[in-house]
Structure formats: structure tokens, C-alpha cells
Amino acid sequence: MTAAPGSAGLRQRGSSGVPGSPGAGDGSDRTGVVTAVVLIVCLALAVAAPADVSAPAILVLAVGAVLIPRLTTPSGLLTVLALTVLWIPAGRYSVVGAPAALPWRLVVLGMLLLLFLRLALDRSASWRPSPFVLVVLAVPVTGLLSLLANVWSLDADNFLVPGTLAVVQGTLLLTIFVVTRQLVTTSWAADWLLRLLVVGAGIVALSVGWERATGFNIFINLHQFLPLQLIADAPVVSRFGTVRALGSANHPIALSVMLVMLLPVAAFLARHSPWPRTRPLRLLVFLGLASAMVLAAVLTGSRTFVVMVGVMMGVLLLLDRAVLGRMLVAAVPVGVVALLAVPGTVLNLVSSFTDPSALIESQYSSPGWRGSGRLADLGPSLVQAQDHLWFGTGVGSRIVTGAEANAQILDNQYLSTLLESGLLGLLALLGLLFGPAFMTLRLAWGRDLRPAERHLALALGCAFLGYAVSAFFFDAMAFQQTVMVFLMLLAVASWLRVSVGRHRTGRELDAAGGTEPVRETREGPVAAG
């Protein structure tokens, strides 16, 4: 069985070096302190909080106290982050009694705190290099510049505070890349995160089938058994006379984009993941999950995912036709199942692409009105952008929903960014979405990579380019779940580039005179001797 990049010694166990993890030292003292704190909080909740709040909160604290040694390891933290992103709809829930305490915000802030404590208190800890950190930081920086350039007009229109909050939230959102990169330090961690994302998304995909059959969406009913409160109702979106599935996303398009973004990763895991150990079972698990994700994307009724799949196939046509051939063969039974299960949805989806003139005409519909076609908004938006070319009208100045709406929904992230953050913001966004795609695909082009390294680079490059192109057809940055999944994959790509560079350097040194062999473990590279 072929292993993931640098997978020798993946099953080694030991100290993670993360505060609160097994083997990190003085574990019994720390466990006693944690237990005491949990008991005090539980008593306070029992005395002061209503029963409907205190009961689920005490349950969560009790489970957390039992699992705390595992949850504070890198794999545990990655599990909490990935499942929070995939299973708790972003912006729809908050912690009970605290409307601003969105679950993903609390998780990210907690992980940032743990990260800085580790760097401050653990002398063996080091900051992991992140090749893509500049393109990630460029987006909030240009947003801040746009805010400062339009501070007086935003203040006059009462948009300054919402704009500032938008920049702060956007910055916090992008720190998911930083947190994930610092946790993904070995091939074991990278593979663990990729498996979490694919399996978690596969479960979401399976739930979409149940949602379509029964009308019940488990992800908008989490408040019934978790200490969460709904702060926004789920939208009802229909197409072809059928209500479109939402799953754990905030819009059908966002759901389809998230699922399809993970398709190449599922294909990579089917070939290279160390789990399951036997090849037939591994193929069954990951190709089965990939098939479920395709079927769920079809149930969303979104045409955007078809464009993404077309982009990915184009990449494979250029870089790896053998993989493309295998994917096309695997797609045949999936297409047959989709046609038999939901023939109306499939035929309507196919027919929307077989008549290009009608498709283009629909994109010019209702210019100037809500729900107008994407191409109908393009010309007027470009003319409007000329008035504030460099810095836009300011982050937070375009309100597209609610009673205070003052702008159209453009369904084009690049156009929305041009209007709000100007040309500088647009360039930063293009750098964030297209830059990693081309850099990762260029890495996959290299002939001196190991097969697993090349296939991982190819899978990530396909995912990135598909997502970058999809942003032409929906407001990508407005849907936090897809952004967070993209950033976690970007962290894996960052680890891969560093790992490949280290392996190349090692091979060059070996050829020059020999160095001590290195193997990968869960804790990082160590001497093989």
C-alpha cells in the first residue's frame, strides 16, 4: 500500500508537546486543576442558570472534562475545528445567552490562545513557516485600507461600525489558516485533517439525501440537543419547482461548492491514505463518500458545481490524463444512480447547459432589479466601480439584504469586492484564490516528487482552482463555511510545500555527502537512527 507523503513511522505515539496533552509533563496536577474548575463552573450553572441552559451546558462540560487530554492534542484540536466548521452552520447559531459567541469564533479564539501559550511556555515549540501567509494577510489589510480611505463617508452613512466589525470578523476568519498550519506539522496530521474533512463532508452529503426525502434538516435543529440558540432562520430556496437542499450550509450553492471542493481530496485519500489499511476497503470508503458528495451536490440544484467539475477535469486533462480516465469511469455509475434517483433534477440541470443561448439570456434577465442575472449586473457595476477605483466605497457599505438594503446581490465575489474594496481589494482576492491554485499545480508538475506528494498537490490544486472559478458565480466570501474549508486545505498545501522543500534539500545533501536519515512521526521529523 502506498502511504501518504512522508508517512514512514505514522503510527508512532508520544508526547504532542501541546499544553494539556498526554506526556507533556505534570499531567496529574493539570487534570486536578481542570476538574476543580469544571466542578466550580457546573455548580455556578446549577445555581444561577435556568434548567434549560444549565443542563446541556453541564453535560458538555462533563464530556469535555473527560476528553480534555485528547481534545488538546493536535489531532484533537483539528477534530474540533473541522467538525465545528462542517456541522454547525456558520452564522446561524450562537452559544445560549451570548448572541455574538458564534461556535467557530470561540473555537478559533481558544486555539489561538493555546497556540500563543505553547509558543510562550514551551521552549521546544517553534513557529511553522507558512508560504501562503502573505496572500492570506493581504485580504484584511486591503479591507482595512478601504475602510480608512472611506472613513468619513462611512461614518456619515452609519456604516463605519458595521464595516469595522466586518474587517475584524474577516481577519478572525482568516486566522483559521494560521491555526491549522501550526497544527499540521507532520504527514500524519495532514492526512488526519483531510480524512476529517472528507468523512465529515460525506456525512453532510448523506444527510442531504435524508433532507430531500423527509424535509428534516438535522443541522438546523442542533439547538434541540446542544447549548446553542438560533440567531438566523434557514432560507428556503427553490429551483425547478423543488426546494433545494441546504445541509449544514447557508445556501445551496455554498453547499455544492464545499462538497465539490473536497472531491479531489477524497480521490487522493482513496489511493494514498493509510486508513483503511486494505486497498479495497479504502476505495469503498472514500469513493463511496465522494459519490455521496456528488449526489448531494446534484440535489442542491446548483449549476456552479458543474462548472467546478469542468475546471477540475480540464486540469486533469492537462496534467494527468490517467487520473482523468479513472475519474470518468467512476463517474458513470454515479451518474446512473443520480438519474434514477432524481431524474427531474438531473434532466433540468443538464438541459440548462445544452442550450447556451437560453443560459446566457437568463444571465441578462431583470437588470437593475433584485434577482437580476449575473451578466445584467456586470456593465453597470463596472461603471460604478470607476468612481472609487482604488479603495472602493468601503467595507460594509453594500447592504444586500434586510430593510436597509442599498445594493444588488451580484452573485460574483470579484465584482462585489471591486465595488467595496476597490482594485487593491480585488487584486488581493485574486491573489488569495488563484495564487495558491497555480502555485500548487506548478508543484504537482514537478517530476522529482514522490507519487503521493504529486497526487496531493494535484488534488489541492484542482480544489483551489475550482473554488477560485466558482467565486465568479456566487458571493464566495459571504459564506463562511466554504471559506473555512478552503483555508484548512490551504494550510495543508502550505505544509506540503515546506515538506517537499525539506525533502528536496535532504536529497541534495545526501547526494553531496550524506546526512542523517530522517523519518516522519506524529511529532515531526526525527532522526531515523
Side-chain angles (χ1 to χ4, degrees):
M1 180 185 69
T2 305
S7 60
L10 290 181
R11 295 177 180 81
Q12 302 267 343
R13 296 289 191 250
S15 168
S16 68
V18 177
S21 63
D26 66 343
S28 59
D29 293 341
R30 184 164 40 254
T31 302
V33 171
V34 171
T35 303
V37 171
V38 169
L39 286 174
I40 293 172
V41 173
C42 289
L43 288 173
L45 286 170
V47 171
D52 59 340
V53 175
S54 61
I58 291 173
L59 177 62
V60 170
L61 285 171
V63 173
V66 173
L67 298 179
I68 196 71
R70 291 191 175 274
L71 291 180
T72 53
T73 63
S75 59
L77 293 173
L78 287 172
T79 301
V80 171
L81 177 62
L83 297 186
T84 299
V85 168
L86 291 173
W87 290 354
I88 301 181
R92 196 165 306 288
Y93 289 105
S94 71
V95 175
V96 171
L102 304 186
W104 73 264
R105 290 179 185 169
L106 296 180
V107 169
V108 173
L109 288 173
M111 290 186 178
L112 282 174
L113 178 60
L114 283 176
L115 174 61
F116 288 126
L117 285 176
R118 182 190 176 195
L119 291 172
L121 302 177
D122 187 353
R123 293 183 178 181
S124 65
S126 61
W127 186 264
R128 306 291 177 172
S130 304
F132 299 115
V133 69
L134 292 181
V135 295
V136 172
L137 290 177
V139 174
V141 168
T142 54
L144 180 60
L145 291 175
S146 170
L147 198 70
L148 295 175
N150 295 277
V151 63
W152 302 118
S153 59
L154 290 173
D155 186 47
D157 295 330
N158 295 321
F159 291 148
L160 184 57
V161 172
T164 303
L165 293 176
V167 172
V168 172
Q169 171 156 296
T171 304
L172 181 61
L173 188 67
L174 293 172
T175 57
I176 288 178
F177 166 77
V178 176
V179 169
T180 308
R181 172 63 189 103
Q182 299 309 307
L183 293 174
V184 176
T185 59
T186 66
S187 55
W188 191 96
D191 184 83
W192 176 258
L193 176 59
L194 295 178
R195 277 183 279 161
L196 279 172
L197 291 173
V198 169
V199 173
I203 292 173
V204 172
L206 293 173
S207 78
V208 167
W210 179 259
E211 179 185 349
R212 177 65 177 266
T214 65
F216 178 77
N217 185 342
I218 182 63
F219 298 106
I220 60 175
N221 289 277
L222 296 177
H223 58 289
Q224 296 182 12
F225 48 89
L226 289 176
L228 301 172
Q229 64 181 13
L230 274 172
I231 57 175
D233 294 327
V236 177
V237 185
S238 61
R239 171 172 284 174
F240 309 135
T242 303
V243 176
R244 301 163 67 181
L246 277 179
S248 61
N250 288 329
H251 194 277
I253 297 179
L255 175 62
S256 68
V257 168
M258 184 272 289
L259 294 173
V260 173
M261 188 164 31
L262 291 171
L263 280 180
V265 179
F268 164 78
L269 292 173
R271 184 168 184 178
H272 293 291
S273 177
W275 177 89
R277 296 184 180 183
T278 61
R279 186 172 183 272
L281 183 58
R282 188 169 65 249
L283 291 174
L284 177 64
V285 169
F286 290 113
L287 294 184
L289 291 172
S291 301
M293 288 190 279
V294 172
L295 293 174
V298 171
L299 291 177
T300 66
S302 169
R303 294 179 295 216
T304 303
F305 91 87
V306 180
V307 176
M308 292 180 67
V309 171
V311 170
M312 295 175 182
M313 291 176 63
V315 171
L316 293 177
L317 182 64
L318 293 175
L319 297 183
D320 200 326
R321 296 181 183 179
V323 172
L324 175 61
R326 289 193 290 268
M327 293 299 101
L328 290 176
V329 171
V332 173
V334 178
V336 171
V337 170
L339 187 59
L340 294 175
V342 282
T345 300
V346 173
L347 292 176
N348 285 324
L349 197 60
V350 172
S351 65
S352 66
F353 286 95
T354 55
D355 189 353
S357 59
L359 179 61
I360 294 173
E361 183 180 352
S362 69
Q363 299 303 306
Y364 281 104
S365 63
S366 307
W369 294 87
R370 186 174 181 83
S372 57
R374 294 176 176 88
L375 294 178
D377 297 324
L378 182 60
S381 297
L382 292 177
V383 172
Q384 181 183 350
Q386 296 176 13
D387 295 334
H388 305 272
L389 183 60
W390 291 105
F391 299 102
T393 55
V395 175
S397 60
R398 300 185 73 256
I399 310 297
V400 297
T401 58
E404 299 180 356
N406 62 3
Q408 298 292 329
I409 298 176
L410 299 178
D411 280 333
N412 183 328
Q413 183 59 58
Y414 301 108
L415 200 55
S416 298
T417 300
L418 176 63
L419 291 175
E420 266 202 348
S421 300
L423 189 57
L424 291 180
L426 176 61
L427 292 175
L429 183 63
L430 289 170
L432 174 63
L433 299 186
F434 280 99
F438 291 134
M439 292 172 69
T440 309
L441 290 175
R442 183 182 177 185
L443 182 65
W445 186 264
R447 299 303 178 185
D448 61 336
L449 271 65
R450 304 168 184 175
E453 290 172 338
R454 181 175 183 273
H455 290 151
L456 178 55
L458 183 61
L460 293 173
C462 286
F464 295 156
L465 190 58
Y467 181 56
V469 172
S470 75
F472 284 105
F473 305 100
F474 84 121
D475 294 314
M477 303 301 285
F479 297 102
Q480 297 162 352
Q481 184 188 60
T482 57
V483 179
M484 290 187 280
V485 170
F486 165 75
L487 291 171
M488 286 189 283
L489 293 179
L490 188 60
V492 175
S494 186
W495 164 82
L496 179 64
R497 285 183 60 85
V498 172
S499 177
V500 167
R502 186 174 65 240
H503 293 158
R504 284 174 173 170
T505 302
R507 287 193 291 267
E508 291 171 359
L509 290 174
D510 286 340
T515 59
E516 189 175 11
V518 171
R519 60 180 169 84
E520 287 274 2
T521 72
R522 290 181 67 173
E523 292 73 51
V526 299

